[in-house]
């Protein structure tokens, strides 16, 4: 009998036609489907476990709160003193998760694949910050929140992890799968007033 794997489907695949993907437009909005997400927990004092993780990743975990580090398509987001979210390209989470689990075996730490729990929405364009400000209480001024930073917050009553990618500005919003459609449609509506800027 052939090994049949279920077909992966992103929570926003049915809304692809509603994405705002015009380059140079005031708002860019699209899903980044099926990214791998690994929840990593290790004690803040576990320096040897941290070193083992960094060796397996090939780069350092963020050393400061609300920061992100990345290399070769992998990203580590600081979520708390003992918690990180590792983001991988689609399909790389299983192998990386096994590698991290092996590296952490001697330590009181663990890694869990949480890829099915969230999706990632990319929001960009010169009006992206204005769209976020309509429903997020974080201070997103460039002097306060800049590329390389991340934070857990709320947006339009949905829990998110927000990461700023660049100065354009461009953001990645990690949202729970069950709220992804609601938030995506809310973002489309919030961006509506900037249609005239196109």
């Amino acid at each position: 009998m052939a090994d049949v794997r279920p077909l992966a489907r992103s929570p926003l695949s049915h809304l692809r036609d509603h994405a705002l993907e015009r380059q140079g437009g005031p708002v860019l909005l699209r899903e980044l489907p099926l990214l791998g997400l690994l929840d990593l927990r290790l004690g803040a004092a576990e320096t040897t476990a941290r070193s083992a993780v960094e060796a397996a990743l090939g780069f350092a975990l963020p050393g400061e709160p609300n920061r992100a580090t990345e290399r070769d398509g992998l990203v580590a987001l600081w979520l708390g003193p003992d918690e990180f979210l590792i983001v991988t390209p689609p399909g790389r989470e299983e192998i990386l998760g096994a590698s991290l689990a092996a590296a952490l075996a001697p330590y009181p730490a663990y890694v869990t694949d949480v890829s099915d729990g969230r999706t990632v929405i990319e929001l960009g364009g010169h009006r992206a910050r204005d769209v976020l400000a309509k429903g997020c209480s974080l201070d997103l001024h460039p002097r306060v929140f800049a590329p390389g930073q991340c934070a857990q917050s709320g947006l339009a009553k949905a829990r998110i992890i927000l990461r700023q990618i660049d100065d354009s500005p461009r953001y990645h919003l990690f949202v729970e799968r069950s709220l992804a459609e609601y938030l995506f449609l809310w973002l489309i509506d919030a961006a509506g007033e900037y249609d005239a800027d196109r």
Side-chain angles (χ1 to χ4, degrees):
M1 185 170 178
D3 181 26
V4 179
R5 291 182 155 242
L7 180 64
R9 185 167 171 232
S10 75
L12 298 176
S13 59
H14 64 291
L15 293 175
R16 228 169 250 138
D17 291 343
H18 297 281
L20 307 172
E21 297 189 275
R22 182 177 158 204
Q23 294 300 323
V27 178
L28 167 77
L29 180 65
R30 63 182 175 185
E31 182 188 22
L32 300 177
L34 307 176
L35 294 178
L37 304 173
L38 302 171
D39 184 51
L40 172 65
R41 296 283 185 127
L42 62 154
E46 291 290 330
T47 56
T48 51
R50 184 183 181 105
S51 295
V53 165
E54 292 175 345
L57 287 174
F59 65 97
L61 292 170
E64 297 177 44
N66 299 319
R67 298 287 177 176
T69 54
E70 63 183 304
R71 182 176 178 191
D72 297 332
L74 300 176
V75 180
L77 304 176
W78 188 98
L79 300 184
D82 65 348
E83 184 178 12
F84 301 87
L85 183 67
I86 309 299
V87 185
T88 77
R92 285 186 55 192
E93 65 276 6
E94 192 172 325
I95 292 171
L96 181 61
S99 176
L100 289 172
L104 290 171
Y107 308 104
Y110 67 87
V111 62
T112 306
D113 187 341
V114 294
S115 304
D116 291 339
R118 291 188 176 121
T119 193
V120 180
I121 297 171
E122 183 175 65
L123 175 68
H126 66 274
R127 290 294 198 160
R129 195 175 284 112
D130 298 321
V131 171
L132 285 174
K134 291 182 178 189
C136 183
S137 61
L138 288 176
D139 183 351
L140 298 173
H141 192 281
R143 286 189 307 253
V144 178
F145 199 84
Q149 289 185 263
C150 64
Q152 297 182 78
S153 188
L155 176 61
K157 299 184 181 177
R159 290 182 307 184
I160 63 164
I161 301 168
L162 180 67
R163 174 184 175 221
Q164 187 167 344
I165 307 301
D166 60 33
D167 282 322
S168 59
R170 189 165 48 107
Y171 303 92
H172 286 175
L173 290 71
F174 298 76
V175 61
E176 293 170 8
R177 188 178 188 93
S178 60
L179 294 172
E181 180 176 348
Y182 156 74
L183 188 62
F184 194 78
L185 294 174
W186 184 91
L187 287 164
I188 289 171
D189 185 61
E193 74 173 278
Y194 306 116
D195 283 345
D197 293 352
R198 292 183 184 274

